[in-house]
Structure formats: structure tokens, C-alpha cells
């Protein structure tokens, strides 16, 4: 079930582990004929101020044995070599202010709160499509530090730019979206199982 489909069912859930629904939503034999959207929204009123200042999010991820950039759009969506793990932003143009993380098909991980100051971790998840492997990911901002912890190993970047006041207000009205672009939800799909999500 889509736990956070309705805001009322989510209130009080953040900070407690929850799982996203199966991203495939149909059997592997029928996938080429499936037109579906793997994205998942936590409503803005539930996400609160997440991403405006300091924040923390953690989760477990595992593959589905499909390419992580598999498109359910039957040719109707552009092809990307990466997908969005999570995004929260009200900005549709550069520098896309708001917390986000992306995973590429080659295992690169990108984490940012602004597109002009990105933490890029190269080829840290080379087996990302494998359903037999589970990875634990943690992302946080503490003051001027972005920190990503992947399977217990920490990566950091010092940032010098803030989310502007206007962007912060827009962000607070935006959902926290998993596995899809924040403007067009079935762009930048990420075909991964995402479980044990906690947010603070």
C-alpha cells in the first residue's frame, strides 16, 4: 500500500521507518507493456521544514534486477543514465535549490542542496541493480557540511551557499519525492526498492 498517499495517513510517521511500494508494480513478464510511474510523494504538510536548514535522511536500497533507469513510459520519456533517489524543491531552474540525491547506472551517487555545490561519489554502488544486495545510505546537512554515508563509509563536502528565502518558501510547499523528477514525476525514474526510510 502507498503509505503516504494521503497526508492524514502520514502525520507522525516521519522519523519512523517506512517503506516505499514496489517500484515495478507489475510482473517482470509484463514490464515492457507496463506504463507506470515509480515515484512516490510524501506530502508537503507532512514533510514540514525538511531540507530548509539542517536535515537527515536514511534508507536501505536494493535493486530489482532491472536496469535502475528502466522506463515505464513505453518510449514516451527521455532516457537518462541516472535516476532521482529523492528530491524536494520548488525551483524548476538552476540552481535547483533543495535537497536531492541521484544514483547513476555506473554506481555514482550525487548529493546536493544546490546544483552549484554537489558532492559526487564515484562508482560507490557498482552492483546497484542487483536484488541480492542491500545498501544502507544516510544523507545529511549540518551547517556548512554535506555528509553522505554509504554502507558505513563517510563522504563530506563543505558548502558555501544557502538556499535563498524565496526558494525556502517554495520548498516548504513542495512534496518530498522519491524515485522521480520533482516537476515531471516519471522523468528520472529510479527502479530500486527503498525501505526503512527515516527522516529528521
Amino acid at each position: 500500500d502507498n503509505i503516504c498517499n494521503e497526508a492524514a495517513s502520514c502525520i507522525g510517521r516521519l522519523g519512523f521507518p517506512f517503506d516505499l511500494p514496489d517500484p515495478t508494480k507489475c510482473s517482470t513478464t509484463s514490464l515492457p507493456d507496463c506504463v507506470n510511474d515509480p515515484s512516490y510523494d510524501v506530502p508537503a504538510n507532512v514533510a514540514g521544514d525538511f531540507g530548509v536548514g539542517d536535515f537527515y535522511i536514511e534508507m536501505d536500497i536494493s535493486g530489482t534486477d532491472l536496469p535502475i533507469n528502466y522506463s515505464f513510459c513505453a518510449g514516451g520519456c527521455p532516457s537518462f543514465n541516472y535516476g532521482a533517489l529523492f528530491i524536494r524543491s520548488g525551483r524548476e531552474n538552476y540552481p535547483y535549490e533543495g535537497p536531492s540525491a541521484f544514483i547513476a547506472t555506473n554506481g555514482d551517487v550525487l548529493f546536493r542542496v544546490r546544483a552549484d555545490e554537489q558532492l559526487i561519489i564515484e562508482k560507490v554502488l557498482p552492483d546497484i541493480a542487483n536484488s541480492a544486495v542491500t545498501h544502507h545510505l544516510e544523507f545529511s546537512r549540518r551547517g556548512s557540511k554535506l555528509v553522505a554515508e554509504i554502507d558505513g563509509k563517510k563522504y563530506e563536502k563543505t558548502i558555501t551557499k544557502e538556499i535563498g528565502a524565496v526558494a525556502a518558501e517554495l520548498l516548504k510547499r513542495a512534496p518530498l519525492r522519491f524515485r522521480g523528477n520533482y516537476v515531471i514525476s516519471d522523468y528520472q525514474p529510479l527502479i530500486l526498492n527503498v525501505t526503512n526510510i527515516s527522516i529528521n
Side-chain angles (χ1 to χ4, degrees):
D1 292 334
N2 196 336
I3 296 169
C4 283
N5 193 38
E6 298 294 334
S9 69
C10 294
I11 291 172
R13 291 302 302 269
L14 297 188
F16 297 91
F18 65 95
D19 300 341
L20 300 191
D22 180 345
T24 60
K25 299 182 182 173
C26 51
S27 73
T28 52
T29 56
S30 65
L31 280 174
D33 302 316
C34 254
V35 178
N36 233 318
D37 177 355
S39 71
Y40 181 92
D41 286 355
V42 173
N45 63 321
V46 177
D49 288 344
F50 176 81
V52 174
D54 290 354
F55 64 87
Y56 172 85
I57 182 170
E58 68 175 314
M59 65 204 72
D60 293 325
I61 61 169
S62 61
T64 65
D65 298 322
L66 287 169
I68 66 167
N69 61 338
Y70 186 96
S71 175
F72 292 94
C73 295
C77 291
S79 178
F80 297 95
N81 66 352
Y82 66 93
L85 179 58
F86 66 86
I87 301 179
R88 191 177 193 203
S89 180
R91 288 280 200 194
E92 295 183 21
N93 48 18
Y94 189 85
Y96 310 112
E97 293 153 291
S100 57
F102 302 86
I103 300 176
T105 53
N106 68 353
D108 288 0
V109 173
L110 183 151
F111 174 45
R112 70 190 190 201
V113 293
R114 290 174 55 109
D116 50 3
E117 292 189 316
Q118 303 183 135
L119 171 58
I120 300 172
I121 308 150
E122 294 184 352
K123 297 179 176 59
V124 70
L125 299 171
D127 54 358
I128 189 60
N130 188 340
S131 65
V133 179
T134 299
H135 297 282
H136 185 71
L137 279 60
E138 301 177 42
F139 300 95
S140 63
R141 176 189 175 173
R142 294 290 178 261
S144 62
K145 288 277 188 193
L146 291 183
V147 180
E149 188 167 325
I150 299 173
D151 295 330
K153 186 169 181 182
K154 228 174 238 190
Y155 306 86
E156 297 185 359
K157 180 178 180 69
T158 299
I159 57 175
T160 60
K161 299 174 182 176
E162 293 291 332
I163 294 174
V166 172
E169 287 306 310
L170 291 170
L171 187 152
K172 287 190 277 188
R173 296 199 291 268
L176 170 59
R177 178 165 291 161
F178 293 89
R179 298 191 305 215
N181 178 279
Y182 69 98
V183 179
I184 303 171
S185 63
D186 55 6
Y187 278 32
Q188 301 171 329
L190 190 65
I191 311 305
L192 289 176
N193 292 305
V194 184
T195 58
N196 296 317
I197 302 166
S198 288
I199 301 168
N200 291 302

